[in-house]
Amino acid sequence: MSDTVAPIDWEALHEAAVEAMGRAYAPYSNFPVGAAALVDDGRVISGCNVENASYGVGLCAECSLVSGLMMSGGGKLVAFACVDGKGAALMPCGRCRQLLFEHSADGMLLATVSGIKTIDEVLPDAFGPRQLQEYGA
């Protein structure tokens, strides 16, 4: 992680996730989700789930967050929080863990239902850009 990133304010990250959850579009499941992350340059980005009548094409909050990351200049995710409609911590699904891994700084931290964990703890033996670089791809 970058030496320029201030200590993680988990309360502020949680609040940003709750605020994002308030913007969710979840008329089918009634399960709004918000996510927020600290970027290695100090920015806080957020995202919410956006459902669709064709259920499979809905977007997870994590997808929304990563899209916002890329649209706002990129960077690597340093810390991440995700909440449900009651503001309780949520663990990203496997697909979203892979998406977060792809855009994470080494040792990215996640606020999970069982405490703060690293991306490597929640997605052990992951495969992504760092592994491809090892092989010169």
Side-chain angles (χ1 to χ4, degrees):
M1 287 187 287
S2 169
D3 293 332
T4 61
V5 175
I8 298 163
D9 183 344
W10 288 105
E11 185 176 331
L13 206 54
H14 180 87
E15 289 173 13
V18 169
E19 182 179 332
M21 178 272 303
R23 296 185 179 136
Y25 177 72
Y28 306 105
S29 70
N30 293 312
F31 193 81
V33 177
L38 176 63
V39 182
D40 59 359
D41 63 8
R43 287 177 293 142
V44 172
I45 58 169
S46 60
C48 63
N49 60 324
V50 179
E51 294 181 348
N52 189 285
S54 177
Y55 296 125
V57 298
L59 297 176
C60 299
E62 298 87 344
C63 295
S64 175
L65 181 138
V66 168
S67 179
L69 172 69
M70 300 311 295
M71 290 299 296
S72 65
K76 295 294 182 184
L77 303 174
V78 174
F80 173 85
C82 189
V83 299
D84 64 18
K86 296 178 182 177
L90 281 178
M91 175 63 85
C93 72
R95 174 186 178 271
C96 289
R97 291 179 207 186
Q98 177 65 35
L99 180 67
L100 292 170
F101 177 78
E102 183 97 4
H103 298 280
S104 68
D106 286 336
M108 180 183 88
L109 299 173
L110 295 86
T112 76
V113 297
S114 56
I116 305 298
K117 298 197 181 265
T118 68
I119 189 66
D120 296 317
E121 289 175 301
V122 301
L123 191 64
D125 301 324
F127 182 84
R130 290 184 281 269
Q131 289 70 33
L132 288 171
Q133 287 175 349
E134 291 175 16
Y135 295 98

